Amino acid sequence: MSALRILVPIKRVIDYAVKPRINKTQTGVETVGVNHSTNPFDDLSIEESVQIREKKRAPGGVEDICVFSAGPPKAQDNLRNALAIGADRAIHVALKEGEDLEPLSVAKMLKLVTEQQKSNLVILGKQSIDDDSNQTGQMLAGLLGWPQATQACGIEFGAGDMVSVTREVDGGVETVRAKLPLIITTDLRLNKPRYANLPSIMKAKKKPMEKKTLADYGITSERRLKVLKVTGPEARQGGGKVEDVDGMISKLKELGAI
Amino acid sequence: MASRPQLAPVLRRLGRAPAHLRRPAALQQSVSLPTRCFSSSRPRFFQRTAVVAKSTNFTTETYPDIKRDSRFAQLTPEHVDYFRGLLGSESAVIDGVTKHEAADDIEPFNSDWMGKYRGRCQLVLKPGSTDEVSKILKYCNDNMLAVVPQGGNTGLVGGSVPVFDEIVVNMGRMNRIIDFDEVSGTLVADAGCILESADQFLASKGYIFPLDLAAKGSCHIGGNLATNAGGLRLLRYGSLHGTVLGIEAVLADGTVVDDLCKLRKNNTGYDLKQLFIGAEGTIGIITKVSILCPQRPQAQNVAFFGLESFEQVQLAFRAAKGQLSEILSAFELMDEGSQALVRQVTKNPSPLEGRYPFYCLIETSGSNADHDGEKLQSFLEDVMEKGIVADGTLAQDETQVKSLWAWREDITESLSHLGGTYKYDVSIPLKEMYQLVEDTRARVDAAGLLGDSDEFPVRAVVGYGHMGDANLHLNVATRRFDERVEKVLEPFIYEWIAERQGSISAEHGLGLMKKKYIGYSRNPTMIGLMKNIKNTFDPKGILNPYKYL
Ligand SMILES: Cc1cc2nc3c(=O)[nH]c(=O)nc-3n(C[C@H](O)[C@H](O)[C@H](O)COP(=O)(O)OP(=O)(O)OC[C@H]3O[C@@H](n4cnc5c(N)ncnc54)[C@H](O)[C@@H]3O)c2cc1C
């Protein structure tokens, strides 16, 4: 089997523990002064790549794990963290603060990166939790003409470059099989991302990080889609108010609920 | 979300409340946000297994030498009628005197959080105003009815539940935020406000409550004052004796003491409010609180690390003070024993790969996350290179901040899932702090009581605590009640502490559990003066009898 050269694209997004607020102009979610973190699905991709290497799951071994992010300067922190978890090197494409790419632009750029890095496996999050597009992996597969296995909850490597991917579907799981090169997108139950430990955080500082711009890939951040308006979910209708716990219990008794 | 904390008691009553755990609660919070549904896959850590209360022995059975004070009157239906008339609302009186079916409803007020103490109270009153508290106490004082003031009932020394048939005055209905001054940060609120609700209110204003502890989802700020709770950030924000600006309280005879000062400085006479802080409901019921709240830090960073010895823990602490001085907000210690129990109960994967005899959690709070993060990282690199720290990790995001904190905060709750725990909350000079755990473990082991299998009553002797405040929690986790255990532990532990001029109760108070042992930390002159104070404020002794002094 060929040795794996894994590409892991990651995105810096609003920390999922933060409650998102809609900005004043209603064009998106407020990102200024809000904590950010790596898109949780991407944490799974990083962890999975490192586990494939550590547990020697691929018969041909893992030759390279490259993490990639197009994002603001702070995205380098997220790349460093991925390096601390166990990726070998990173590529950062600098975007201006607030600049955002549509999935198609990202996919086009990733196509070039995949070719340049000679990757034969790309593991992406199934979606990023800021725009929830769930498109990039699929578009990339289309552009490259590679097979894709989305929403993976299990990945196994067999002989002759065969990869079996278990995916979560409504009402159960489905197992698909394809040959490398391949696109995989990750779902929640794939693994449990680890904490980066101190020695590796320190080591990660010395790992290579290439710095690029959109122009290097011939990409612009032009938009094909226009956001008309972003609004929050409708406020819940207020219910009745009981005075205290006992009031609630008697109310529940009255309603025959307990 | 604002109503969640108030729900805690009812969940507990239904016997399944992980009410005290804010970590899972916080994760749950994100579940309700439509785009973030993936967090739903994170399991809730705890399910409280069963209502402990029913299985708990009555305190009077466990401690047969405590006798009911015959001066106190027995409750009659006439008394109940008076309270009903006074409080009006149906839900304000839980009456087990005339209604036997109310027994189940009263049970949670009779039993303490640990399931160690259980009283025989027949009547719970829930006043809605200071005036009602005043009238209740006046009537009780006139009729010689004993009273137990109760907040969130999370106290750990048996102070918040009755021993015999004392009336429980529960402050849960007095839970309003009364006033907040956005310039000075002074919060005025009812004593029955749940700590977490008060803090959430403050968060919306950019401020923080100067106290934080794992029971925040249930405990009341009045209860916090009454126990002079210390908690996780005392290192940063200081003790309640400094942050509380004013108190309104009701004395045993119904007198309302209005010292609800909002000033930072007020040197006019004895500072009487200080007496109520840490009085554990023995000299009056606190009804309102005025407290100075600091600006909420914009940036919090958390690191968690493993160390090979207690010597190294001390070195790390000194290094942290030196290098992180103004941003250090917590320095917590946990031994491997305590972490093993958390692993066993929560089934969470541990943050570090290896096992170490000690772990520390460091939190920094400041105004610039990047700046603080850099400082913390260079501190960690320094202690790592010097070989003080064996391994460690830094939280990369908010979720990791919370899950690292959980390793410290879930200890108390995890232990409670495994059986009864003897808890000692002590303060000892740092140098010898952990020695107490080792000596106690050796002693329990030598008595043949400690072991891995069921035949041994003691599961583990563990230590953790607020290293930054030289405050150790020595916990002896048992499989079942066995009177030999207590005999091995006491008075040994108290004597050990007294020899080193330590405190036998650093932050949990005296309650029923440590009443007998106050002499180990206070001399007879001090105790005599305390008794005078008690007699001045509560001459008939109706407030929280059988406890404290
Ligand atoms: C998981 C857990 C973690 C904890 N962590 C800490 C910690 O880190 N630091 C710490 O110091 N403590 C800690 N505690 C114990 C702490 O004392 C209580 O959690 C809290 O301060 C008590 O508040 P409460 O409202 O539950 O009071 P209760 O338990 O209801 O009462 C405690 C005492 O105060 C009296 N009292 C209550 N309200 C009033 C009032 N309004 N007026 C007069 N007297 C009153 C009661 O009579 C009783 O004697 C912890 C407890 C738990 C369960």
Side-chain angles (χ1 to χ4, degrees):
Chain A
M1 182 183 181
S2 341
L4 290 179
R5 294 184 57 83
I6 309 177
L7 177 70
V8 183
I10 67 172
K11 184 171 186 188
R12 180 177 173 85
V13 297
I14 293 187
D15 193 322
Y16 86 77
V18 172
K19 190 178 175 182
R21 276 179 296 120
I22 291 166
N23 65 14
K24 288 212 179 67
T25 49
Q26 293 199 314
T27 52
V29 166
E30 190 59 77
T31 53
V32 182
V34 177
N35 281 351
H36 282 67
S37 67
T38 304
N39 177 37
F41 291 103
D42 303 344
D43 282 330
L44 300 164
S45 323
I46 302 165
E47 177 67 32
E48 191 67 13
S49 317
V50 175
Q51 284 190 15
I52 294 171
R53 170 182 278 159
E54 286 175 350
K55 299 193 175 150
K56 303 196 173 25
R57 282 162 41 193
V62 176
E63 186 179 298
D64 179 55
I65 302 174
C66 174
V67 278
F68 171 94
S69 188
K74 300 252 17 155
Q76 291 187 11
D77 293 356
N78 306 80
L79 289 169
R80 284 278 170 226
N81 191 48
L83 295 175
I85 301 283
D88 302 313
R89 59 207 178 85
I91 302 173
H92 176 229
V93 176
L95 298 188
K96 288 194 251 346
E97 204 62 62
E99 196 174 15
D100 200 17
L101 300 174
E102 286 180 357
L104 184 59
S105 312
V106 179
K108 284 179 178 166
M109 184 162 48
L110 288 176
K111 174 173 185 280
L112 284 172
V113 178
T114 308
E115 288 163 359
Q116 287 168 3
Q117 303 305 323
K118 305 196 170 46
S119 316
N120 53 7
L121 178 63
V122 186
I123 309 183
L124 307 84
K126 72 167 179 181
Q127 69 197 65
S128 73
I129 61 164
D130 49 359
D131 55 23
D132 279 341
S133 293
N134 194 337
Q135 293 171 340
T136 309
Q138 293 89 325
M139 286 179 171
L140 177 60
L143 291 173
L144 285 165
W146 289 8
Q148 54 175 311
T150 55
Q151 273 123 281
C153 62
I155 304 175
E156 269 173 49
F157 296 86
D161 281 2
M162 269 303 179
V163 185
S164 303
V165 175
T166 310
R167 18 185 345 254
E168 299 200 334
V169 292
D170 281 349
V173 291
E174 174 182 85
T175 303
V176 295
R177 207 165 54 195
K179 252 189 161 158
L180 290 177
L182 173 69
I183 307 287
I184 297 177
T185 71
T186 59
D187 209 340
L188 278 179
R189 270 155 282 269
L190 183 58
N191 58 48
K192 274 197 166 46
R194 71 190 74 181
Y195 296 86
N197 69 16
L198 264 182
S200 19
I201 292 176
M202 282 151 73
K203 258 186 251 150
K205 288 190 166 172
K206 303 200 180 77
K207 290 188 180 174
M209 182 170 321
E210 248 183 278
K211 291 172 190 146
K212 298 277 198 183
T213 61
L214 286 179
D216 293 336
Y217 297 98
I219 301 281
T220 55
S221 58
E222 67 159 333
R223 303 194 68 89
R224 298 175 161 224
L225 297 169
K226 185 167 183 225
V227 175
L228 299 180
K229 193 174 172 194
V230 177
T231 52
E234 222 166 272
R236 239 187 100 252
Q237 291 283 318
K241 201 166 176 182
V242 289
E243 214 193 351
D244 53 18
V245 170
D246 302 290
M248 176 156 125
I249 288 174
S250 29
K251 192 87 199 163
L252 288 174
K253 280 187 180 153
E254 190 185 305
L255 295 170
I258 51 173
Chain B
M1 288 324 290
S3 61
R4 189 174 50 78
Q6 276 94 332
L7 276 178
V10 83
L11 290 175
R12 178 140 47 116
R13 183 171 311 197
L14 298 175
R16 38 168 279 254
H20 316 282
L21 292 176
R22 44 193 263 256
R23 305 287 163 227
L27 289 173
Q28 291 274 312
Q29 189 165 351
S30 45
V31 176
S32 62
L33 309 170
T35 57
R36 323 224 136 182
C37 52
F38 60 89
S39 64
S40 62
S41 73
R42 302 245 169 166
R44 273 203 97 122
F45 303 148
F46 289 120
Q47 288 286 319
R48 215 138 155 76
T49 33
V51 186
V52 264
K54 289 257 166 76
S55 58
T56 308
N57 285 336
F58 286 109
T59 307
T60 48
E61 290 163 4
T62 322
Y63 302 96
D65 42 333
I66 307 176
K67 299 282 178 252
R68 186 177 183 282
D69 187 336
S70 58
R71 293 178 305 132
F72 294 131
Q74 303 278 356
L75 267 171
T76 63
E78 289 70 49
H79 295 137
V80 179
D81 276 347
Y82 172 82
F83 293 122
R84 244 187 232 297
L86 173 65
L87 300 180
S89 154
E90 183 61 28
S91 60
V93 179
I94 307 179
D95 163 24
V97 179
T98 61
K99 295 187 192 158
H100 290 293
E101 69 278 13
D104 271 358
D105 294 341
I106 288 190
E107 206 46 62
F109 300 89
N110 259 327
S111 307
D112 77 321
W113 188 89
M114 297 181 291
K116 186 168 170 195
Y117 300 98
R118 183 176 173 202
R120 296 173 179 274
C121 138
Q122 302 286 336
L123 183 65
V124 177
L125 303 177
K126 298 180 166 187
S129 67
T130 304
D131 186 49
E132 288 179 359
V133 175
S134 166
K135 292 198 171 113
I136 291 172
L137 287 189
K138 179 167 178 4
Y139 185 82
C140 290
N141 200 48
D142 291 346
N143 292 281
M144 277 312 279
L145 293 166
V147 168
V148 174
Q150 189 178 73
N153 197 9
T154 66
L156 297 175
V157 287
S160 51
V161 289
V163 180
F164 296 94
D165 55 350
E166 299 92 279
I167 298 172
V168 167
V169 176
N170 182 288
M171 300 299 288
R173 274 176 75 222
M174 292 180 65
N175 59 3
R176 288 169 313 142
I177 303 280
I178 299 164
D179 183 40
F180 182 66
D181 179 339
E182 300 208 19
V183 178
S184 66
T186 308
L187 174 78
V188 181
D190 279 344
C193 277
I194 287 175
L195 175 60
E196 192 171 37
S197 314
D199 189 56
Q200 277 167 356
F201 167 81
L202 288 164
S204 71
K205 306 282 180 191
Y207 284 84
I208 187 170
F209 203 91
L211 168 79
D212 186 16
L213 43 84
K216 66 166 10 184
S218 303
C219 65
H220 294 182
I221 58 177
N224 296 144
L225 262 67
T227 54
N228 186 21
L232 304 167
R233 305 227 164 83
L234 187 123
L235 180 68
R236 176 63 167 265
Y237 300 120
S239 123
L240 290 172
H241 281 297
T243 47
V244 172
L245 303 178
I247 281 179
E248 179 193 79
V250 180
L251 303 186
D253 66 359
T255 307
V256 176
V257 180
D258 180 359
D259 186 14
L260 204 60
C261 177
K262 295 182 211 164
L263 308 170
R264 194 121 196 232
K265 295 180 150 184
N266 181 9
N267 285 353
T268 50
Y270 297 123
D271 191 1
L272 294 178
K273 69 167 183 290
Q274 299 295 357
L275 289 176
F276 292 90
I277 302 176
E280 298 181 44
T282 57
I283 60 172
I285 297 189
I286 301 169
T287 46
K288 292 193 181 76
V289 177
S290 147
I291 186 162
L292 186 65
C293 302
Q295 202 75 36
R296 202 171 194 89
Q298 278 159 10
Q300 273 181 343
N301 292 284
V302 169
F304 184 98
F305 46 82
L307 308 99
E308 297 288 1
S309 72
F310 190 66
E311 299 298 304
Q312 284 169 329
V313 172
Q314 294 176 68
L315 290 174
F317 181 49
R318 288 206 45 194
K321 283 196 296 183
Q323 297 178 37
L324 301 170
S325 49
E326 78 284 1
I327 55 168
L328 186 64
S329 56
F331 194 109
E332 298 285 313
L333 169 75
M334 298 141 276
D335 67 2
E336 164 56 21
S338 68
Q339 297 300 280
L341 296 175
V342 177
R343 280 197 299 273
Q344 184 183 340
V345 174
T346 65
K347 311 256 181 324
N348 288 335
S350 126
L352 305 180
E353 248 168 73
R355 302 273 174 267
Y356 303 92
F358 296 95
Y359 304 90
C360 289
L361 182 148
I362 286 189
E363 182 195 76
T364 63
S365 303
S367 51
N368 184 328
D370 295 339
H371 177 215
D372 294 358
E374 267 167 41
K375 270 194 173 174
L376 186 57
Q377 188 147 338
S378 62
F379 158 75
L380 290 173
E381 284 173 16
D382 181 56
V383 287
M384 192 91 206
E385 268 155 22
K386 291 193 177 126
I388 298 174
V389 162
D391 192 8
T393 184
L394 257 170
Q396 300 297 331
D397 54 45
E398 198 81 357
T399 310
Q400 287 194 357
V401 164
K402 289 178 179 153
S403 44
L404 287 181
W405 259 117
W407 287 96
R408 166 64 184 88
E409 289 194 300
D410 290 354
I411 300 174
T412 308
E413 175 115 12
S414 297
L415 258 63
S416 76
H417 284 256
L418 295 169
T421 307
Y422 289 92
K423 288 180 169 294
Y424 301 91
D425 154 46
V426 306
S427 184
I428 322 169
L430 265 183
K431 197 157 48 66
E432 293 183 281
M433 194 162 110
Y434 198 73
Q435 192 62 42
L436 174 62
V437 181
E438 282 167 357
D439 289 3
T440 306
R441 192 181 291 136
R443 190 175 155 87
V444 177
D445 197 19
L449 301 172
L450 175 66
D452 285 337
S453 61
D454 262 357
E455 62 195 284
F456 301 97
V458 177
R459 190 186 293 274
V461 177
V462 305
Y464 58 94
H466 315 296
M467 177 84 187
D469 318 323
N471 181 182
L472 176 83
H473 296 317
L474 163 65
N475 282 203
V476 179
T478 63
R479 293 192 169 85
R480 58 183 168 272
F481 179 75
D482 184 325
E483 44 182 24
R484 288 175 301 167
V485 178
E486 188 160 330
K487 293 212 175 79
V488 168
L489 299 175
E490 296 171 19
F492 165 77
I493 291 171
Y494 297 121
E495 284 166 0
W496 197 101
I497 293 161
E499 273 166 35
R500 288 155 182 89
Q501 276 91 47
S503 169
I504 59 149
S505 187
E507 60 175 14
H508 294 163
L510 296 164
L512 185 64
M513 178 180 170
K514 294 181 182 168
K515 171 191 157 88
K516 283 193 289 194
Y517 305 111
I518 182 173
Y520 286 101
S521 286
R522 300 287 198 186
N523 66 36
T525 315
M526 300 278 293
I527 297 171
L529 277 172
M530 289 185 197
K531 287 195 166 143
N532 289 346
I533 289 170
K534 166 79 180 170
N535 291 338
T536 307
F537 283 81
D538 177 21
K540 293 185 173 176
I542 62 160
L543 286 172
N544 231 349
Y546 320 109
K547 299 169 189 156
Y548 202 69
L549 278 175

